């Protein structure tokens, strides 16, 4: 556990609709702030350089990597993490689809895959595996890509039918 | 990352004032700056956030061009309806140039100023002329996919990594550079500089200067211009080409060919362009033009493959451009 040492007033971050006050140095990334200061460890650190997508969160409705932005830069933004995805009524359709399609093995990339997929579904995508693959570049070292894409296509299909 | 002071600039004037402080750096999306800082290559004492300075806009101009604020994100621009309909080359280069997550953060101006991906540059403790002039260049003996095949010289053979830069050079874009004294307009072509005489820089920007906006003029070539990249996405170009053709009854009148991944700057393929003038659109024409351009390329072992790849990329890009060119 890292303790902060800064004289600045605490930062107010809005995460999954809740306000969190935290004292962090400017150099603390949003990822490290979530994990080490706020103990929201669902968001994972993969490469820490913006390449793998494991740290994907949603900021003001857009999917972004959290390892290459600072906590201080996101004061005032609406941040969504994997912790906010399930509802009190049950799992998110995408989480259910990931289970149904066996879309994870070790599970490390999975929160990032789900947040990236939620971002993609909000942008709008056809329930077509090729189109989904083009627009999802998160890495999975276990190689679950086929099932990840199938899970997302499943939900995209549900959304298309609901319209 | 080193400790630093974080400041937000409420407008461009304030940004320039703050940017006058030595050891300061501007930040847009942060997708390159924080990467460099985590590697210890960049170590600013002050980071000035430009995201709230009113530079995030996209406008169409009289005459059908575009004026894009430097802090517009890559995603903002790629998804702009006019870009999708009238500037396919720009859309293609943006989508090829970064993952969806990065595109939602990275800025249009910032993308042009990203630093090279050369291993020896990015490893903090490796001697490297780009970091310390005169300390040497390991890449000369250990070249890989990230190293140049054009440009000559023994000082620095890193390539410019930006796909967007290649597209904008081919579109004759101009940028607005501001410093505390004045604003000036510079063509994209003039923005980028070779490794001589000063290998520490990739652009003409001086400390404290910033890019405020990019203007892309309209042109008859716009709608048919095409971006071809290997690998197609999910990484930095080994070789890419932005190609557009002006044809008259099957004969090439003029062309614009700019290559990425092959030089310290986006590389204008003058030899290929010259070979195309007055020639019929055909496989033979494309091959001759590609061969002419790549005949001047040199490999240093690990980047030899780019020479043959360059020929293929040029031929395929020309074929694709010819298919859509009226």
């Amino acid at each position: 556990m890292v303790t902060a040492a800064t004289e600045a007033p605490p930062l107010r971050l809005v995460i999954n609709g809740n306000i969190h006050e935290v004292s962090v140095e400017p150099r603390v990334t949003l990822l490290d702030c979530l994990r080490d200061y706020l103990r929201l460890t669902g968001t994972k650190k993969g490469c820490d350089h913006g390449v793998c997508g494991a740290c994907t969160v949603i900021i003001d409705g857009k999917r972004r990597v959290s390892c290459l932005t600072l906590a201080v830069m996101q004061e005032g933004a609406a941040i969504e993490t994997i912790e906010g995805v399930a509802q009190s009524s049950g799992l998110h359709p995408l989480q259910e689809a990931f289970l149904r399609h066996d879309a994870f093995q070790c599970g490390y990339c999975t929160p990032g895959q789900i947040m990236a997929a939620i971002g993609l579904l909000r942008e709008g995508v056809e329930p077509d595996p090729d189109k989904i693959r083009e627009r999802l570049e998160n890495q999975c070292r276990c190689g679950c890509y086929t099932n990840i894409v199938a899970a997302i296509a499943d939900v995209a299909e549900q959304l298309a039918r609901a319209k | 990352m080193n400790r630093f002071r974080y400041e937000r600039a409420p407008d461009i004037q304030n940004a320039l004032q703050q940017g006058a402080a030595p050891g300061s750096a501007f930040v847009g999306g942060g997708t390159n700056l924080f990467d460099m800082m985590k590697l210890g290559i960049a170590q600013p004492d002050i980071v000035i956030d430009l995201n709230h300075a009113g530079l995030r806009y996209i406008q169409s101009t009289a005459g059908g061009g575009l004026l894009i604020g430097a802090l517009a994100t890559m995603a903002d621009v790629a998804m702009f309806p006019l870009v999708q309909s009238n500037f396919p080359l720009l859309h293609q280069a943006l989508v090829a140039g970064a993952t969806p997550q990065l595109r939602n953060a990275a800025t249009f101006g910032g993308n042009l100023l990203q630093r090279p991906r050369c291993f020896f540059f990015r490893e903090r403790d490796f001697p490297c002329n780009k970091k310390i002039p005169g300390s040497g260049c390991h890449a000369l003996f250990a070249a890989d996919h990230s190293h140049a095949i054009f440009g000559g010289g023994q000082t620095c053979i890193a390539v410019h990594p930006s796909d967007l830069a290649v597209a904008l050079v081919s579109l004759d874009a101009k940028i607005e550079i501001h410093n505390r004294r004045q604003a000036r307009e510079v063509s994209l072509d003039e923005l980028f500089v070779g490794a001589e005489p000063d290998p520490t820089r990739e652009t003409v920007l001086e400390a404290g200067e910033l890019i405020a906006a990019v203007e892309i003029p309209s042109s008859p070539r716009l709608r048919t211009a095409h971006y071809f990249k290997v690998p197609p996405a999910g990484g930095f170009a080994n070789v890419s080409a932005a190609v557009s053709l002006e044809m008259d009854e099957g004969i090439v009148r003029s062309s614009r060919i700019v290559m990425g991944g092959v030089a310290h700057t986006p590389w204008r393929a003058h030899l290929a362009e010259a070979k195309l003038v007055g020639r019929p659109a055909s496989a033979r024409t494309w091959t001759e033009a590609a061969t002419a351009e790549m005949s001047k390329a040199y490999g240093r072992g690990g980047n030899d493959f780019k020479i043959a790849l360059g020929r293929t990329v040029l031929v395929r890009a020309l074929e694709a451009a010819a298919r859509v060119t009226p």
Side-chain angles (χ1 to χ4, degrees):
Chain A
M1 177 69 191
V2 187
T3 48
T6 174
E7 307 99 3
L11 204 56
R12 296 179 99 226
L13 294 176
V14 181
I15 301 168
N16 301 324
N18 302 315
I19 297 175
H20 295 258
E21 285 203 349
V22 63
S23 287
V24 292
E25 293 182 35
R27 62 177 169 164
V28 174
T29 62
L30 178 61
L31 176 62
D32 286 340
C33 182
L34 289 170
R35 293 183 53 79
D36 298 342
Y37 290 79
L38 296 173
R39 275 319 196 203
L40 293 168
T41 54
T43 308
K44 304 305 182 194
K45 177 175 286 192
C47 71
D48 206 29
H49 278 266
V51 177
C52 74
C55 69
T56 302
V57 296
I58 293 175
I59 301 175
D60 290 335
K62 309 284 191 194
R63 47 186 172 154
R64 288 180 57 167
V65 292
S66 56
C67 65
L68 290 182
T69 190
L70 307 175
V72 296
M73 289 177 77
Q74 301 311 329
E75 185 161 41
I79 301 166
E80 298 170 72
T81 70
I82 191 69
E83 284 89 354
V85 169
Q87 301 301 305
S88 48
S89 50
L91 293 177
H92 188 284
L94 202 49
Q95 290 172 314
E96 285 179 341
F98 265 60
L99 285 166
R100 202 158 52 242
H101 291 272
D102 190 26
F104 56 92
Q105 292 181 36
C106 79
Y108 197 78
C109 75
T110 310
Q113 298 279 3
I114 288 176
M115 297 315 290
I118 290 175
L120 171 60
L121 290 167
R122 286 190 195 167
E123 286 164 24
V125 68
E126 292 170 43
D128 173 338
D130 289 335
K131 297 235 159 66
I132 291 168
R133 260 188 190 273
E134 253 180 46
R135 293 171 60 188
L136 192 76
E137 295 185 43
N138 286 44
Q139 294 178 2
C140 171
R141 206 61 183 81
C142 297
C144 301
Y145 298 108
T146 307
N147 292 356
I148 291 168
V149 171
I152 298 168
D154 186 338
V155 178
E157 177 73 49
Q158 290 174 40
L159 287 171
R161 270 190 271 114
K163 285 211 177 114
Chain B
M1 290 196 260
N2 60 285
R3 282 202 164 87
F4 55 85
R5 203 175 83 221
Y6 166 79
E7 303 287 350
R8 283 189 182 181
D11 56 59
I12 212 183
Q13 281 319 308
N14 175 279
L16 290 167
Q17 257 173 280
Q18 295 201 61
S24 64
F26 294 122
V27 70
T31 52
N32 194 237
L33 179 64
F34 299 136
D35 178 30
M36 294 280 102
M37 288 175 71
K38 288 183 183 195
L39 293 171
I41 307 295
Q43 300 182 338
D45 301 307
I46 309 166
V47 172
I48 303 161
D49 184 341
L50 296 178
N51 289 287
H52 309 270
L55 294 171
R56 185 178 178 178
Y57 56 84
I58 309 170
Q59 293 164 10
S60 58
T61 60
L66 283 171
L67 181 65
I68 301 169
L71 276 291
T73 66
M74 291 172 74
D76 286 343
V77 182
M79 302 318 292
F80 197 69
L82 197 65
V83 169
Q84 297 199 67
S85 61
N86 289 17
F87 297 79
L89 167 63
L90 185 57
H91 176 85
Q92 288 163 12
L94 286 164
V95 169
T99 63
Q101 285 92 316
L102 291 178
R103 297 200 297 268
N104 280 329
T107 64
F108 205 70
N111 180 282
L112 302 176
L113 302 177
Q114 66 180 291
R115 307 304 308 279
R117 310 301 296 188
C118 171
F119 172 82
F120 306 106
F121 170 64
R122 287 171 61 83
E123 278 296 313
R124 190 190 59 186
D125 298 329
F126 249 104
C128 149
N129 288 328
K130 186 168 280 295
K131 291 182 301 227
I132 300 171
S135 62
C137 173
H138 280 265
L140 293 173
F141 312 104
D144 66 23
H145 55 87
S146 72
H147 296 119
I149 50 171
F150 289 123
Q154 311 257 326
T155 308
C156 174
I157 59 166
V159 299
H160 199 284
S162 166
D163 293 293
L164 177 61
V166 174
L168 290 177
V169 169
S170 85
L171 293 171
D172 294 326
K174 293 184 161 55
I175 59 167
E176 216 179 277
I177 297 177
H178 287 236
N179 60 39
R180 294 181 78 186
R181 286 180 318 281
Q182 53 164 31
R184 67 185 191 283
E185 200 177 63
V186 161
S187 74
L188 253 294
D189 209 31
E190 293 166 334
L191 171 64
F192 298 109
V193 294
E196 316 277 0
D198 179 4
T200 66
R201 58 167 71 238
E202 292 86 55
T203 73
V204 296
L205 247 64
E206 301 293 348
E209 294 192 323
L210 58 80
I211 297 177
V214 180
E215 180 163 4
I216 305 172
S218 181
S219 117
R221 283 198 315 264
L222 262 180
R223 294 196 118 212
T224 61
H226 185 84
Y227 193 66
F228 192 93
K229 173 180 174 182
V230 175
F236 294 93
N238 288 326
V239 181
S240 67
V243 174
S244 56
L245 296 171
E246 248 188 286
M247 297 214 294
D248 198 359
E249 311 207 338
I251 306 290
V252 179
R253 278 182 47 193
S254 74
S255 65
R256 186 56 64 87
I257 304 174
V258 185
M259 299 181 78
V262 295
H264 199 262
T265 66
W267 181 261
R268 181 83 183 267
H270 289 290
L271 295 175
E273 288 183 12
K275 266 288 188 187
L276 289 175
V277 179
R279 302 292 305 284
S282 72
R284 179 166 159 186
T285 299
W286 311 143
T287 305
E288 285 181 11
T291 305
E293 188 65 42
M294 302 315 295
S295 69
K296 299 294 186 222
Y298 67 93
R300 291 180 182 278
N303 61 353
D304 290 347
F305 75 95
K306 290 193 181 190
I307 301 175
L309 182 59
R311 275 197 295 276
T312 306
V313 165
L314 285 176
V315 168
R316 296 266 190 95
L318 286 164
E319 282 172 354
R323 269 198 295 274
V324 291
T325 303

